[in-house]
Amino acid sequence: MVKTRKNVWELGGDWADPILWYARGVKAMQSRPLSDPTAWRFYGAIHGIDRRLWTQLGFLSSGNQLPPNDTIKTYWQQCQHGSWYFLPWHRGYVLAFEAVVRDAVVKLGGPADWAIPYWNYFKPNQNQLPPAFASPDWPDGQGDNPLFVAQRFGPNNDGNVFVPMDQVDQNALGDSQFIGASDGGSPGFGGVNTGFRHGGNVHGGVETQPHDMVHGLVGGGDPNTGLPGLMSDPDTAGLDPIFWLHHANIDRLWEVWNEMPGSTGDPEQPNWVKGPASIGQRAFILPMPGRNFTYTPGQMQNLSTLGYNYDDVSPPSGLPQMVARLQRFGVSVADSVTRSAAMAGPKSAELMGASGSLRVSGTEARASVPLDAAVQFSVTRSLRSAATAANPAPDRVFLNLENVRGLNDATAFSVYINVPDGDDPAKHPELKAGNIALFGVRKATEADAQHAGDGLTFVLEITDVIDKLHLDGALNANQLHVRLVPRLPVPDAAQISIGRISVYRQSP
């Protein structure tokens, strides 16, 4: 029986049957003790757990019986971030969770074909938190709605939860390559080649946007205690029921990408297809009703074999950044696909320039990145010769925020390039490089058995900005001026710092 995942906003009502059954299934999972592998908190700990933080937020107490250590080592702290396993691991995670909820739904008399809905915040008028998640009451007016959590503060930390559309994008859909590289160029649609990585340094394209940004915007932070909203931190995100609808949408975008013009498809390398267990590392293994579910990325590629589909995998309206750029320079998508197929795999990147370290606090931070004249000339030459047989597309240019450290995962900011002095950056959308949220920065800052404390690296494609500067005849300056504008003022206590801001060119 094929199950269809549907848009939560298009089910026929705020408490349509799929949502009502979801709430009942969540309630059943929440009633189980932490030591039960199909319990709500157990499933949250699979994604990540910080016992101190869980205790502060009221999800762990001294009276809770933990699972045996062998069980913890097998299942907990397993999510893949900053890795080319990000998409397949989370696909299996949502699939297993869905099976656990469905089992509870069926036992309660619900439909055997229940499927988790997805939240497509990109559709017009659907960026607000779905109403069933926003009220503490069930539809009959009684309290104790399990879809509502108090630790969900929204983008302005005021409890109004929505996704501001000027803060998110789907530009990753325009990147033809699944695999990127960690050398300063594109991190790819799906991420960089790693082993088992519970919190890697470089996030892939779709992981950075919209994944990370939605986590930070929805979760926010408690303005009174300074604690994060559940969605803002990887160690608590799986405890929020909206997490699963967000990840169903990210999973859907993977399917959309595979249908996009120019997409070269999923990796074929054996260590991706067979997963980290094939190289002697941890296997992807999750508890499901009555059995264990062990899987590989290769087994996650085909939705039909997994028994579900989506009601809508159409591409977004408007052209992704890369496709629009090719058309602007007179390059056909077909030419780009041919070139990408011939040069499959991450392209090498060349450093154009880098700045020193930067502390981010308050309402703005600035840095200047000196550019190497010879490398800059190569970019300019590629722009001038675009659409010729020898060079069917100009260089791509990337801004890297390297070794970002801090203690506040809910921090989010916009990045602008070469805004004139005295001008409001918000009035120059054409100079906006993008938005980033520091989802996972706290863990990446702490040096422990899984992390070196090097922080995170965020990669923003600034090709469109460079194109504009070139077309306006303003690409001859010997440096780029970078402005970071936090969505909310960054307190000193957040200790946000950037080790280096760098600019790289990469052949298309």
Side-chain angles (χ1 to χ4, degrees):
M1 180 190 302
V2 176
K3 291 86 174 177
T4 299
R5 295 179 182 172
K6 299 179 180 180
N7 186 329
V8 67
W9 279 98
E10 299 173 1
L11 294 173
D14 295 349
W15 279 96
D17 281 350
I19 290 296
L20 186 57
W21 283 115
Y22 179 48
R24 291 167 176 164
V26 169
K27 188 70 175 175
M29 290 181 68
Q30 289 178 345
S31 70
R32 299 167 186 166
L34 176 59
S35 56
D36 184 336
T38 63
W40 181 258
R41 287 181 297 165
F42 191 103
Y43 250 78
I46 291 172
H47 193 268
I49 179 172
D50 180 310
R51 298 184 191 185
R52 177 188 58 82
L53 188 55
W54 276 38
T55 300
Q56 289 176 308
L57 293 170
F59 288 91
L60 187 64
S61 69
S62 58
N64 291 142
Q65 180 180 351
L66 295 174
N69 285 335
D70 286 349
T71 300
I72 290 174
K73 291 178 180 179
T74 298
Y75 297 113
W76 286 11
Q77 300 278 61
Q78 194 180 148
C79 72
Q80 300 295 288
H81 288 283
S83 167
W84 64 347
Y85 295 136
F86 166 73
L87 286 167
W89 184 87
H90 282 85
R91 175 166 284 181
Y93 186 43
V94 175
L95 190 69
F97 171 80
E98 184 179 54
V100 173
V101 175
R102 186 184 301 116
D103 179 70
V105 165
V106 170
K107 288 176 179 176
L108 292 168
D113 64 348
W114 179 87
I116 193 164
Y118 63 89
W119 179 20
N120 184 7
Y121 20 77
F122 289 105
K123 290 198 76 170
N125 304 314
Q126 295 184 5
N127 62 322
Q128 197 77 26
L129 184 73
F133 295 79
S135 170
D137 296 325
W138 289 86
D140 62 3
Q142 299 298 310
D144 198 27
N145 171 16
L147 303 185
F148 174 83
V149 295
Q151 303 92 344
R152 195 190 285 143
F153 300 99
N156 298 318
N157 291 347
D158 59 1
N160 180 21
V161 182
F162 65 102
V163 177
M165 298 315 296
D166 64 342
Q167 299 290 300
V168 292
D169 65 64
Q170 301 179 85
N171 287 337
L173 291 173
D175 198 323
S176 64
Q177 300 289 339
F178 185 103
I179 311 170
S182 55
D183 64 354
S186 169
F189 173 78
V192 301
N193 185 337
T194 68
F196 185 101
R197 191 62 59 86
H198 179 62
N201 298 94
V202 181
H203 286 199
V206 75
E207 184 177 6
T208 299
Q209 273 283 16
H211 171 265
D212 290 355
M213 203 69 196
V214 170
H215 267 283
L217 292 170
V218 169
D222 188 332
N224 298 314
T225 66
L227 293 174
L230 298 185
M231 279 282 282
S232 298
D233 192 300
D235 281 339
T236 57
L239 297 170
D240 189 332
I242 199 63
F243 168 95
W244 303 96
L245 278 70
H246 169 42
H247 268 279
N249 193 49
I250 297 300
D251 183 68
R252 185 186 67 87
L253 289 177
W254 182 13
E255 195 69 5
V256 172
W257 177 80
N258 265 306
E259 300 297 323
M260 289 290 294
S263 167
T264 56
D266 296 333
E268 297 179 355
Q269 286 88 332
N271 55 328
W272 187 88
V273 173
K274 297 179 180 180
S278 67
I279 54 176
Q281 298 178 343
R282 283 182 70 177
F284 298 158
I285 180 169
L286 300 170
M288 288 176 67
R291 67 184 180 95
N292 278 330
F293 173 45
T294 303
Y295 63 98
T296 66
Q299 293 169 334
M300 295 294 104
Q301 291 179 272
N302 191 328
L303 296 191
S304 63
T305 64
L306 296 174
Y308 75 96
N309 58 30
Y310 289 98
D311 64 348
D312 182 8
V313 291
S314 57
S317 59
L319 294 172
Q321 179 180 355
M322 199 60 198
V323 177
R325 181 176 191 246
L326 292 172
Q327 291 191 3
R328 183 166 65 247
F329 279 95
V331 181
S332 73
V333 173
D335 286 344
S336 176
V337 172
T338 300
R339 182 176 176 85
S340 293
M343 301 178 65
K347 313 298 190 299
S348 61
E350 183 178 13
L351 180 66
M352 293 179 66
S355 73
S357 60
L358 179 68
R359 187 67 180 265
V360 181
S361 64
T363 59
E364 185 177 277
R366 301 189 185 196
S368 292
V369 181
L371 301 178
D372 180 273
V375 181
Q376 183 186 342
F377 175 76
S378 297
V379 174
T380 304
R381 181 176 56 194
S382 81
L383 291 166
R384 289 172 179 166
S385 62
T388 66
N391 186 28
D395 285 350
R396 301 170 69 186
V397 185
F398 296 87
L399 181 77
N400 284 236
L401 306 179
E402 303 176 18
N403 307 117
V404 181
R405 297 179 176 88
L407 304 179
N408 189 337
D409 288 54
T411 303
F413 46 82
S414 301
V415 182
Y416 293 86
I417 304 295
N418 281 18
V419 174
D421 285 341
D423 284 11
D424 180 0
K427 294 182 179 180
H428 290 279
E430 76 284 1
L431 299 178
K432 187 176 181 178
N435 302 287
I436 62 171
L438 307 190
F439 184 68
V441 74
R442 178 186 59 82
K443 292 183 72 169
T445 300
E446 299 172 351
D448 56 25
Q450 296 175 324
H451 308 92
D454 293 334
L456 300 175
T457 291
F458 296 94
V459 183
L460 294 174
E461 182 160 7
I462 60 172
T463 302
D464 269 3
V465 178
I466 297 300
D467 286 351
K468 174 174 174 48
L469 294 173
H470 166 71
L471 294 172
D472 290 348
L475 193 58
N476 295 322
N478 59 6
Q479 58 185 352
L480 292 181
H481 301 286
V482 180
R483 276 202 205 182
L484 308 178
V485 182
R487 177 169 180 82
L488 299 174
V490 177
D492 289 340
Q495 299 182 33
I496 306 298
S497 65
I498 300 172
R500 188 174 82 154
I501 300 178
S502 56
V503 178
Y504 287 82
R505 67 177 284 267
Q506 186 177 47
S507 60

